[in-house]
């Protein structure tokens, strides 16, 4: 029975890693499509969010079955509950990528207000943090999980830089407000990805120590991904 349960846990972990990979690709792909003004690619990312949602719900169902049938205690229960939470966090990150794709679609043939430099940096940093956070989660590495959220300062710094630049464009010409807002929404979504990574790190610490510890992160921001 124990061996079968451990195999089930490993399967769920593998599913989380696969979901994480899908989300990483969506984040990078949405920003790349925006940068290249590739409407077809943006539409594909927007549509693929359904697959991310379905995989999340499949994981959720498997976790609930495991809790109901295996009656896990202590560490095992914390792990299963955290797998449930992490699947939800990843699905929400997928929503942010979908939101970026939606912005690209709303822009249509409109050119970017400015070349994208810091936004791709934010996306790459988000994905790097997410990848390491998921690795720490799988390894129950609380020490690494405590360190990763500190890197959110870099994301916040890039966001602030983007905000200042866009405000300067608006001050110089109020007619660009809509185009500036599009890019600001993109930056908001990428900032929120880093905050979700922090939540995953908190779950890792919970699994390893049994204690729920809030790690300071950025405040919630606007997301047009609905």
């Amino acid at each position: 029975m124990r061996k079968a349960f451990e195999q089930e846990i490993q399967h769920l972990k593998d599913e989380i890693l696969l979901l994480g990979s899908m989300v990483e690709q969506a984040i990078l792909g949405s920003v790349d499509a925006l940068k290249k003004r590739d409407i077809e690619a943006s539409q594909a990312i927007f549509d693929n969010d359904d697959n991310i949602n379905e995989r999340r719900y499949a994981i959720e169902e498997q976790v609930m079955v495991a809790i109901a049938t295996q009656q896990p205690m202590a560490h095992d229960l914390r792990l299963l509950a955290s797998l449930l939470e992490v699947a939800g966090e990843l699905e929400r990150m997928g929503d942010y990528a979908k939101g970026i794709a939606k912005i690209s679609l709303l822009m249509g043939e409109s050119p970017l207000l400015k070349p994208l430099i810091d936004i791709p940096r934010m996306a790459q940093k988000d994905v790097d943090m997410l990848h390491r956070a998921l690795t720490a989660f799988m390894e129950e590495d609380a020490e690494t999980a405590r360190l990763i959220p500190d890197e959110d300062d870099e994301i916040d710094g890039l966001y602030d830089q983007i905000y200042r630049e866009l405000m300067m464009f608006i001050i110089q010409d109020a007619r660009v407000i809509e185009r500036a807002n599009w890019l600001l929404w993109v930056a908001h979504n990428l900032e929120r990805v880093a905050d979700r990574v922090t939540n995953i790190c908190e779950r890792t610490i919970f699994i390893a120590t049994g204690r729920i510890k809030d790690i300071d992160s950025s405040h919630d921001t606007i997301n047009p991904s609905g």
Side-chain angles (χ1 to χ4, degrees):
M1 288 290 291
R2 180 65 193 181
K3 184 176 180 179
F5 182 50
E6 290 175 352
Q7 290 175 342
E8 191 169 359
I9 291 291
Q10 187 57 54
H11 171 71
L12 284 166
K13 286 184 173 182
D14 291 343
E15 288 294 302
I16 286 288
L17 288 177
L18 179 56
L19 179 58
S21 178
M22 292 172 66
V23 170
E24 290 172 9
Q25 292 174 32
I27 293 168
L28 294 176
S30 64
V31 170
D32 187 60
L34 175 68
K35 183 177 181 178
K36 295 177 178 177
R37 304 305 302 119
D38 187 337
I39 302 302
E40 184 176 346
S42 295
Q43 186 66 59
I45 291 165
F46 185 90
D47 294 340
N48 190 60
D49 186 64
D50 288 341
N51 293 328
I52 290 176
N53 294 343
E54 289 173 6
R55 189 164 292 276
R56 177 263 175 107
Y57 294 131
I59 292 171
E60 187 175 275
E61 182 176 354
Q62 293 171 49
V63 169
M64 296 304 291
V65 169
I67 292 174
T69 59
Q70 299 294 335
Q71 297 183 323
M73 299 296 290
H75 174 271
D76 290 336
L77 184 58
R78 294 200 303 270
L79 176 56
L80 286 169
S82 295
L83 285 166
L84 199 63
E85 290 288 336
V86 170
E89 296 292 350
L90 290 171
E91 187 266 335
R92 199 70 184 94
M93 292 182 207
D95 287 343
Y96 296 136
K98 177 185 178 181
I100 295 171
K102 181 178 180 180
I103 290 166
S104 182
L105 295 172
L106 288 172
M107 289 176 64
E109 299 300 324
S110 299
L112 293 168
L113 179 60
K114 61 181 290 294
L116 298 190
I117 298 173
D118 291 327
I119 282 177
R121 289 176 180 167
M122 287 183 76
Q124 188 60 59
K125 183 63 180 178
D126 278 340
V127 167
D128 177 63
M129 290 173 64
L130 174 57
H131 193 82
R132 287 183 289 117
L134 287 175
T135 298
F137 179 81
M138 295 303 160
E139 297 176 355
E140 300 184 18
D141 183 352
E143 183 175 354
T144 297
R146 289 188 182 95
L147 296 175
I148 292 173
D150 290 341
E151 299 174 32
D152 186 47
D153 289 344
E154 184 177 340
I155 297 290
D156 291 340
L158 289 168
Y159 174 79
D160 291 342
Q161 175 66 20
I162 292 166
Y163 180 85
R164 288 192 296 268
E165 289 181 357
L166 292 175
M167 289 305 102
M168 288 302 299
F169 276 101
I170 293 172
I171 290 171
Q172 293 169 8
D173 184 356
R175 292 173 298 179
V176 305
I177 288 178
E178 184 176 41
R179 294 165 67 197
N181 277 337
W182 283 333
L183 295 184
L184 190 58
W185 285 339
V186 171
H188 271 307
N189 279 12
L190 293 173
E191 184 185 37
R192 289 298 291 125
V193 169
D195 293 339
R196 298 283 171 179
V197 171
T198 293
N199 293 344
I200 292 176
C201 291
E202 290 175 355
R203 302 309 299 187
T204 301
I205 296 169
F206 172 62
I207 295 170
T209 67
R211 296 190 300 273
I212 297 178
K213 177 178 174 57
D214 289 335
I215 303 174
D216 291 337
S217 61
S218 302
H219 60 281
D220 286 357
T221 50
I222 297 170
N223 170 48
S225 62

